Amino acid sequence: MRIVFIGQAPFGKDSLATLIQQGENIVGVITVPDLPGQKRPNPVKELAVEKGLPLLQPLKLKHPDAVAWVRELKPDLLVLAFVTDFAPLEMIQSATYGGINYHPSLLPKYRGGSAINWAVISGERETGVTIHQIDAGVDTGPILLQEKVDIAPDDTVKSLYFEKLYPLGIKMIARAVALVREGKVRPLPQDESRASFQPVIQEADTVINWKLTTQRVYDLIRGSNPSPGAVTSFRGQPMKIWEARPYPLQGRAGDVIEVVENTGFVVSTADGGILVERVQFDNAKITAVDFIKNQGLRAGDRLGK
Protein backbone atom coordinates (compact mmCIF):
# COMPACT_ATOMS: atom_id res chain seq x y z
CA MET A 1 0.00 0.00 0.00
CA ARG A 2 1.49 3.33 -1.10
CA ILE A 3 1.31 5.89 1.72
CA VAL A 4 1.83 9.64 1.67
CA PHE A 5 2.52 10.80 5.22
CA ILE A 6 1.58 14.34 6.32
CA GLY A 7 2.66 15.61 9.74
CA GLN A 8 4.83 17.82 11.89
CA ALA A 9 6.46 18.16 15.32
CA PRO A 10 7.84 15.25 17.40
CA PHE A 11 4.45 13.49 17.24
CA GLY A 12 4.64 13.47 13.46
CA LYS A 13 8.19 12.14 13.52
CA ASP A 14 7.39 9.36 15.99
CA SER A 15 4.29 8.39 14.01
CA LEU A 16 6.28 8.23 10.78
CA ALA A 17 9.04 6.21 12.48
CA THR A 18 6.48 3.72 13.79
CA LEU A 19 4.97 3.24 10.32
CA ILE A 20 8.44 2.67 8.86
CA GLN A 21 9.22 0.14 11.60
CA GLN A 22 5.91 -1.58 10.84
CA GLY A 23 7.11 -2.07 7.26
CA GLU A 24 4.69 0.33 5.59
CA ASN A 25 5.54 1.67 2.12
CA ILE A 26 6.01 5.43 2.59
CA VAL A 27 6.26 6.96 -0.90
CA GLY A 28 6.24 10.61 0.12
CA VAL A 29 6.33 12.90 3.18
CA ILE A 30 4.80 16.35 3.55
CA THR A 31 5.65 18.62 6.46
CA VAL A 32 5.62 22.33 7.27
CA PRO A 33 8.17 24.75 5.75
CA ASP A 34 11.32 25.74 7.59
CA LEU A 35 10.94 29.19 9.12
CA PRO A 36 13.49 31.99 8.65
CA GLY A 37 15.95 31.88 11.55
CA GLN A 38 14.49 28.61 12.82
CA LYS A 39 16.91 27.16 15.40
CA ARG A 40 15.26 23.85 16.15
CA PRO A 41 15.31 21.25 13.37
CA ASN A 42 12.07 20.06 11.76
CA PRO A 43 11.69 16.55 13.21
CA VAL A 44 9.64 15.11 10.33
CA LYS A 45 11.97 16.59 7.73
CA GLU A 46 14.98 15.15 9.56
CA LEU A 47 13.57 11.63 9.53
CA ALA A 48 12.44 11.84 5.91
CA VAL A 49 15.92 12.97 4.81
CA GLU A 50 17.58 10.29 6.94
CA LYS A 51 15.43 7.59 5.32
CA GLY A 52 15.76 9.00 1.81
CA LEU A 53 12.03 9.60 1.42
CA PRO A 54 10.63 12.10 -1.11
CA LEU A 55 9.87 15.30 0.81
CA LEU A 56 7.69 18.36 0.20
CA GLN A 57 7.28 21.43 2.43
CA PRO A 58 4.44 23.54 0.98
CA LEU A 59 3.05 26.67 2.58
CA LYS A 60 -0.44 25.21 2.17
CA LEU A 61 -1.69 21.73 1.36
CA LYS A 62 -4.18 23.25 -1.10
CA HIS A 63 -1.37 24.74 -3.22
CA PRO A 64 -1.66 23.30 -6.76
CA ASP A 65 1.96 22.11 -6.68
CA ALA A 66 1.29 20.12 -3.48
CA VAL A 67 -1.85 18.55 -4.94
CA ALA A 68 -0.01 17.65 -8.16
CA TRP A 69 2.94 16.21 -6.20
CA VAL A 70 0.67 13.89 -4.26
CA ARG A 71 -1.28 12.89 -7.35
CA GLU A 72 1.92 11.92 -9.16
CA LEU A 73 2.87 9.61 -6.30
CA LYS A 74 -0.36 7.60 -6.88
CA PRO A 75 -0.98 6.96 -3.18
CA ASP A 76 -3.36 4.40 -1.77
CA LEU A 77 -3.67 6.25 1.55
CA LEU A 78 -2.90 9.64 3.11
CA VAL A 79 -1.94 9.49 6.80
CA LEU A 80 -2.25 12.72 8.79
CA ALA A 81 -0.46 13.02 12.14
CA PHE A 82 -0.49 16.45 13.81
CA VAL A 83 -1.74 18.50 10.87
CA THR A 84 -2.89 22.09 11.35
CA ASP A 85 -3.87 22.69 7.71
CA PHE A 86 -6.75 21.35 5.62
CA ALA A 87 -6.13 18.66 3.03
CA PRO A 88 -8.17 19.67 -0.06
CA LEU A 89 -10.68 17.25 -1.53
CA GLU A 90 -8.69 16.85 -4.74
CA MET A 91 -5.72 15.64 -2.68
CA ILE A 92 -7.86 13.25 -0.63
CA GLN A 93 -9.51 11.88 -3.75
CA SER A 94 -6.15 11.19 -5.36
CA ALA A 95 -5.62 8.36 -2.86
CA THR A 96 -7.33 5.01 -3.40
CA TYR A 97 -8.62 4.83 0.18
CA GLY A 98 -8.64 8.55 0.91
CA GLY A 99 -7.00 9.71 4.11
CA ILE A 100 -7.03 9.09 7.86
CA ASN A 101 -6.35 11.54 10.66
CA TYR A 102 -5.40 11.48 14.35
CA HIS A 103 -7.63 13.60 16.58
CA PRO A 104 -7.18 13.90 20.39
CA SER A 105 -10.81 13.72 21.51
CA LEU A 106 -13.76 11.35 21.57
CA LEU A 107 -15.34 12.52 18.35
CA PRO A 108 -17.85 13.87 17.58
CA LYS A 109 -17.20 15.84 20.81
CA TYR A 110 -14.53 18.54 20.75
CA ARG A 111 -13.87 18.95 17.07
CA GLY A 112 -11.29 21.59 16.22
CA GLY A 113 -7.66 22.41 16.85
CA SER A 114 -7.72 22.82 20.66
CA ALA A 115 -9.66 19.73 21.67
CA ILE A 116 -7.46 18.85 24.66
CA ASN A 117 -7.62 22.37 26.11
CA TRP A 118 -11.40 22.57 25.91
CA ALA A 119 -11.95 19.10 27.39
CA VAL A 120 -9.89 19.98 30.48
CA ILE A 121 -11.38 23.47 30.82
CA SER A 122 -14.88 21.97 30.61
CA GLY A 123 -14.13 19.64 33.52
CA GLU A 124 -14.36 16.42 31.54
CA ARG A 125 -13.23 13.28 33.35
CA GLU A 126 -12.32 11.39 30.20
CA THR A 127 -11.21 12.04 26.66
CA GLY A 128 -9.40 9.90 24.12
CA VAL A 129 -8.02 9.39 20.65
CA THR A 130 -10.01 9.02 17.46
CA ILE A 131 -8.65 7.89 14.11
CA HIS A 132 -11.09 8.97 11.44
CA GLN A 133 -11.37 9.30 7.69
CA ILE A 134 -10.90 12.83 6.39
CA ASP A 135 -13.48 14.65 4.32
CA ALA A 136 -14.31 18.27 3.51
CA GLY A 137 -15.34 19.06 7.11
CA VAL A 138 -13.38 19.73 10.29
CA ASP A 139 -12.94 16.38 12.06
CA THR A 140 -16.26 15.17 10.66
CA GLY A 141 -15.28 12.00 8.80
CA PRO A 142 -16.32 8.44 9.74
CA ILE A 143 -14.54 6.87 12.72
CA LEU A 144 -12.16 3.93 12.26
CA LEU A 145 -10.80 3.57 15.80
CA GLN A 146 -11.49 5.22 19.16
CA GLU A 147 -10.07 4.67 22.64
CA LYS A 148 -10.71 6.46 25.94
CA VAL A 149 -8.30 7.76 28.58
CA ASP A 150 -9.07 9.19 32.01
CA ILE A 151 -8.44 12.85 32.77
CA ALA A 152 -6.95 12.82 36.26
CA PRO A 153 -8.02 15.58 38.69
CA ASP A 154 -4.59 17.23 38.43
CA ASP A 155 -3.90 16.59 34.73
CA THR A 156 -2.87 19.57 32.66
CA VAL A 157 -3.04 19.68 28.88
CA LYS A 158 0.70 18.97 28.92
CA SER A 159 0.51 15.86 31.11
CA LEU A 160 -2.61 14.56 29.39
CA TYR A 161 -1.07 14.91 25.94
CA PHE A 162 2.46 13.68 26.52
CA GLU A 163 1.71 10.93 29.03
CA LYS A 164 -1.52 9.55 27.56
CA LEU A 165 -2.74 10.84 24.20
CA TYR A 166 0.65 11.03 22.48
CA PRO A 167 1.74 7.38 22.95
CA LEU A 168 -1.78 6.07 22.43
CA GLY A 169 -2.18 8.09 19.23
CA ILE A 170 0.99 6.71 17.67
CA LYS A 171 -0.09 3.12 18.37
CA MET A 172 -3.57 3.76 16.98
CA ILE A 173 -2.30 5.37 13.77
CA ALA A 174 -0.17 2.30 13.10
CA ARG A 175 -3.07 -0.03 13.87
CA ALA A 176 -5.46 1.91 11.63
CA VAL A 177 -3.02 1.78 8.70
CA ALA A 178 -2.69 -1.98 9.13
CA LEU A 179 -6.47 -2.37 9.16
CA VAL A 180 -6.81 -0.35 5.95
CA ARG A 181 -4.09 -2.40 4.29
CA GLU A 182 -5.76 -5.64 5.37
CA GLY A 183 -9.21 -4.49 4.24
CA LYS A 184 -10.61 -4.78 7.76
CA VAL A 185 -11.84 -1.24 8.40
CA ARG A 186 -15.50 -0.67 9.30
CA PRO A 187 -16.01 3.12 9.22
CA LEU A 188 -18.68 4.41 11.62
CA PRO A 189 -20.42 7.69 10.72
CA GLN A 190 -20.28 10.31 13.46
CA ASP A 191 -23.46 11.07 15.39
CA GLU A 192 -24.11 14.73 14.55
CA SER A 193 -26.57 15.06 17.43
CA ARG A 194 -23.61 14.70 19.82
CA ALA A 195 -21.20 16.89 17.88
CA SER A 196 -19.46 19.97 19.26
CA PHE A 197 -16.89 22.30 17.74
CA GLN A 198 -14.57 24.61 19.64
CA PRO A 199 -12.26 27.19 18.03
CA VAL A 200 -8.50 27.27 18.41
CA ILE A 201 -7.98 28.59 21.92
CA GLN A 202 -6.76 32.17 22.41
CA GLU A 203 -5.76 34.24 25.44
CA ALA A 204 -9.16 35.93 25.31
CA ASP A 205 -10.67 32.51 26.13
CA THR A 206 -8.50 31.95 29.22
CA VAL A 207 -9.08 35.08 31.30
CA ILE A 208 -9.72 34.02 34.89
CA ASN A 209 -12.99 35.05 36.49
CA TRP A 210 -12.21 34.80 40.21
CA LYS A 211 -15.95 34.89 40.98
CA LEU A 212 -16.29 31.36 39.63
CA THR A 213 -15.88 28.26 41.78
CA THR A 214 -12.46 26.95 42.71
CA GLN A 215 -12.95 23.91 40.50
CA ARG A 216 -13.81 25.97 37.42
CA VAL A 217 -10.84 28.29 37.96
CA TYR A 218 -8.56 25.31 38.52
CA ASP A 219 -9.86 23.60 35.35
CA LEU A 220 -9.14 26.77 33.37
CA ILE A 221 -5.58 26.93 34.68
CA ARG A 222 -4.98 23.23 33.93
CA GLY A 223 -6.56 23.55 30.50
CA SER A 224 -4.33 26.50 29.59
CA ASN A 225 -1.02 24.81 30.41
CA PRO A 226 1.27 24.75 28.41
CA SER A 227 -0.55 27.21 26.14
CA PRO A 228 -1.85 29.90 26.09
CA GLY A 229 -1.72 30.28 29.90
CA ALA A 230 -4.44 31.41 32.32
CA VAL A 231 -4.70 35.20 32.15
CA THR A 232 -5.21 37.68 34.97
CA SER A 233 -3.57 40.93 36.08
CA PHE A 234 -1.66 42.35 39.02
CA ARG A 235 -1.54 46.07 39.77
CA GLY A 236 -2.80 46.75 36.26
CA GLN A 237 -0.14 44.66 34.54
CA PRO A 238 -0.93 41.44 32.62
CA MET A 239 -0.05 38.21 34.36
CA LYS A 240 -0.40 34.50 33.64
CA ILE A 241 -0.78 31.64 36.06
CA TRP A 242 0.88 28.40 34.99
CA GLU A 243 0.81 26.17 38.05
CA ALA A 244 -1.65 26.20 40.94
CA ARG A 245 -3.88 23.96 43.06
CA PRO A 246 -7.05 24.26 45.13
CA TYR A 247 -6.65 25.53 48.67
CA PRO A 248 -9.20 25.39 51.54
CA LEU A 249 -9.43 29.09 52.33
CA GLN A 250 -11.93 31.72 51.23
CA GLY A 251 -12.27 35.48 51.20
CA ARG A 252 -13.42 38.07 48.68
CA ALA A 253 -13.09 36.75 45.14
CA GLY A 254 -9.83 37.94 43.57
CA ASP A 255 -8.16 38.91 46.85
CA VAL A 256 -4.80 37.52 47.89
CA ILE A 257 -5.81 36.04 51.24
CA GLU A 258 -2.64 34.30 52.35
CA VAL A 259 1.06 34.08 51.53
CA VAL A 260 2.27 30.51 52.05
CA GLU A 261 5.95 30.47 52.98
CA ASN A 262 8.26 28.80 50.42
CA THR A 263 5.26 27.84 48.27
CA GLY A 264 3.21 30.71 46.84
CA PHE A 265 0.12 32.76 47.54
CA VAL A 266 -3.61 32.04 47.82
CA VAL A 267 -6.24 33.88 45.77
CA SER A 268 -9.88 33.60 46.78
CA THR A 269 -12.56 32.25 44.44
CA ALA A 270 -16.34 32.10 44.90
CA ASP A 271 -16.14 29.12 47.23
CA GLY A 272 -12.51 28.62 48.24
CA GLY A 273 -9.01 29.45 47.15
CA ILE A 274 -6.32 28.77 44.56
CA LEU A 275 -2.72 28.38 45.70
CA VAL A 276 -0.62 29.95 42.94
CA GLU A 277 2.81 28.33 42.51
CA ARG A 278 4.19 29.54 39.16
CA VAL A 279 3.43 32.68 37.17
CA GLN A 280 4.49 34.76 34.20
CA PHE A 281 4.94 38.47 34.81
CA ASP A 282 6.79 41.09 32.81
CA ASN A 283 7.46 38.36 30.18
CA ALA A 284 9.33 36.16 32.68
CA LYS A 285 8.17 32.77 33.98
CA ILE A 286 9.07 32.52 37.64
CA THR A 287 8.02 30.73 40.80
CA ALA A 288 5.33 32.36 42.89
CA VAL A 289 7.90 32.59 45.71
CA ASP A 290 10.17 34.76 43.54
CA PHE A 291 7.19 36.77 42.36
CA ILE A 292 6.25 37.54 45.98
CA LYS A 293 9.80 38.73 46.71
CA ASN A 294 10.16 40.75 43.49
CA GLN A 295 6.79 42.51 43.71
CA GLY A 296 6.33 42.76 47.45
CA LEU A 297 3.02 40.95 47.20
CA ARG A 298 1.09 40.60 50.44
CA ALA A 299 -2.31 39.56 51.72
CA GLY A 300 -4.90 42.13 50.68
CA ASP A 301 -3.53 42.61 47.15
CA ARG A 302 -5.88 41.75 44.28
CA LEU A 303 -5.65 39.86 41.02
CA GLY A 304 -7.81 40.71 38.03
CA LYS A 305 -10.37 43.51 37.84
Side-chain angles (χ1 to χ4, degrees):
M1 187 167 65
R2 296 173 62 82
I3 295 172
V4 169
F5 180 88
I6 307 173
Q8 61 181 305
F11 181 84
K13 178 182 179 179
D14 289 345
S15 298
L16 177 58
T18 299
L19 293 178
I20 293 171
Q21 291 166 5
Q22 185 167 280
E24 304 298 344
N25 181 24
I26 311 298
V27 298
V29 174
I30 297 178
T31 190
V32 292
D34 298 322
L35 299 175
Q38 180 175 314
K39 295 181 179 179
R40 293 184 180 180
N42 180 321
V44 173
K45 176 183 178 180
E46 273 195 326
L47 182 58
V49 171
E50 176 190 329
K51 298 296 183 180
L53 299 172
L55 175 70
L56 187 70
Q57 295 178 271
L59 288 173
K60 289 288 183 179
L61 293 177
K62 67 180 181 180
H63 193 283
D65 290 347
V67 175
W69 189 81
V70 171
R71 187 182 295 117
E72 289 172 6
L73 289 171
K74 297 180 172 59
D76 293 305
L77 183 69
L78 309 180
V79 177
L80 281 63
F82 200 139
V83 176
T84 52
D85 193 9
F86 295 101
L89 270 178
E90 53 266 44
M91 182 180 286
I92 299 169
Q93 292 168 351
S94 71
T96 308
Y97 304 112
I100 62 173
N101 178 55
Y102 154 90
H103 186 74
S105 84
L106 297 174
L107 291 175
K109 294 180 68 175
Y110 298 105
R111 293 170 175 170
S114 297
I116 309 174
N117 299 82
W118 290 113
V120 176
I121 289 171
S122 300
E124 298 283 2
R125 296 185 179 181
E126 66 178 16
T127 186
V129 169
T130 302
I131 308 297
H132 65 96
Q133 294 177 331
I134 52 175
D135 56 18
V138 179
D139 304 320
T140 54
I143 294 170
L144 303 186
L145 295 172
Q146 189 170 85
E147 289 192 27
K148 295 179 180 180
V149 300
D150 291 334
I151 301 177
D154 294 328
D155 263 333
T156 63
V157 170
K158 183 178 180 179
S159 65
L160 182 58
Y161 176 61
F162 284 106
E163 296 173 17
K164 301 175 184 179
L165 300 175
Y166 188 116
L168 178 60
I170 291 169
K171 292 177 184 177
M172 290 176 64
I173 287 172
R175 190 157 88 246
V177 168
L179 289 173
V180 174
R181 173 167 38 79
E182 296 164 4
K184 295 180 180 179
V185 293
R186 299 291 183 268
L188 180 66
Q190 294 189 35
D191 181 356
E192 290 299 322
S193 69
R194 297 176 50 245
S196 63
F197 173 84
Q198 288 75 28
V200 173
I201 199 162
Q202 307 288 337
E203 287 186 6
D205 301 312
T206 61
V207 176
I208 300 172
N209 179 356
W210 295 104
K211 294 180 181 179
L212 297 178
T213 65
T214 296
Q215 188 62 54
R216 289 190 62 185
V217 173
Y218 185 48
D219 290 343
L220 179 67
I221 294 169
R222 296 188 302 125
S224 306
N225 179 358
S227 179
V231 179
T232 188
S233 60
F234 178 70
R235 296 175 183 167
Q237 298 299 312
M239 173 180 178
K240 290 184 178 181
I241 295 177
W242 291 107
E243 296 176 14
R245 50 192 164 98
Y247 196 83
L249 193 65
Q250 185 181 359
R252 186 178 64 152
D255 278 0
V256 175
I257 50 179
E258 185 173 329
V259 174
V260 182
E261 188 175 0
N262 299 322
T263 304
F265 58 93
V266 181
V267 185
S268 182
T269 66
D271 62 353
I274 290 287
L275 175 58
V276 178
E277 298 175 314
R278 189 168 186 82
V279 304
Q280 180 174 330
F281 192 74
D282 198 20
N283 294 322
K285 290 185 179 181
I286 57 176
T287 66
V289 172
D290 287 339
F291 177 76
I292 293 165
K293 293 177 182 177
N294 295 345
Q295 301 299 322
L297 178 140
R298 59 189 183 275
D301 282 336
R302 284 187 59 78
L303 266 62
K305 297 180 179 179

